[in-house]
Amino acid sequence: MKKNEKKTPEVIRTVTEGLKDLYKRKLLPVEEFYRFHDFHSPALEDADFDNKPMVLVVGQYSTGKTTFIKYLLEQDIPGSRIGPEPTTDSFIAVMHGETEGIIPGNALIVDPKKPFRKLNPFGNTFLNRPSNTETLLSCHP
């Protein structure tokens, strides 16, 4: 590069796009070289960058987690029950969508547009617990 020649800046439209590009160009090759994915966690995918942030709600049973979520949504969660005994002992993701519905966990983890693919190693026992309705995704408009 010559002394007076200016470098053309990269055009990045969003922060998310910039982080995804930076990860793929700079960090992912380092992770692969040191085999980071073999002993720690899988590589990040586009869905890990493109999806909205998530909030994890955990706690003892009968402490109001489902009631809190229902209050925030201002509607019922499909397949949920509220009671004094353990009632919702499965993985539930409540997400915004065009239509309201339930997607079984084993179908949810194969969707490359959703950030749940890394739950696959936990197996079908985790993803499709028969004790409740199933692992589900509730899409609310």
Side-chain angles (χ1 to χ4, degrees):
M1 181 180 248
K2 294 180 182 179
K3 197 173 191 177
N4 293 335
E5 191 175 311
K6 290 186 177 182
K7 185 177 178 184
T8 306
E10 289 184 49
V11 177
I12 297 175
R13 290 182 207 96
T14 65
V15 172
T16 304
E17 187 180 292
L19 287 172
K20 188 182 347 179
D21 179 60
L22 187 64
Y23 174 76
K24 287 181 179 180
R25 285 187 304 107
K26 301 289 184 176
L27 193 56
L28 183 59
V30 173
E31 290 179 349
E32 289 170 342
F33 179 80
Y34 287 105
R35 301 180 58 172
F36 178 75
H37 309 124
D38 292 345
F39 64 88
H40 190 272
S41 62
L44 296 176
E45 299 173 346
D46 286 348
D48 296 316
F49 293 97
D50 298 336
N51 280 285
K52 297 195 182 305
M54 288 187 266
V55 175
L56 177 65
V57 179
V58 295
Q60 296 287 337
Y61 70 88
S62 296
T63 57
K65 296 177 298 295
T66 302
T67 303
F68 173 67
I69 294 168
K70 284 177 58 174
Y71 175 79
L72 291 176
L73 295 175
E74 298 178 343
Q75 69 181 63
D76 284 334
I77 302 168
S80 72
R81 281 188 5 223
I82 296 176
E85 72 287 338
T87 54
T88 50
D89 62 345
S90 63
F91 163 74
I92 299 173
V94 181
M95 302 177 74
H96 180 271
E98 296 299 319
T99 59
E100 189 170 303
I102 296 174
I103 302 171
N106 56 0
L108 187 59
I109 64 164
V110 297
D111 186 348
K113 294 181 181 177
K114 300 285 186 263
F116 302 108
R117 294 171 56 99
K118 292 175 183 71
L119 295 175
N120 194 26
F122 294 102
N124 284 331
T125 303
F126 171 74
L127 295 167
N128 294 309
R129 298 194 69 161
S131 57
N132 194 15
T133 56
E134 277 196 328
T135 303
L136 56 89
L137 165 70
S138 302
C139 297
H140 298 277

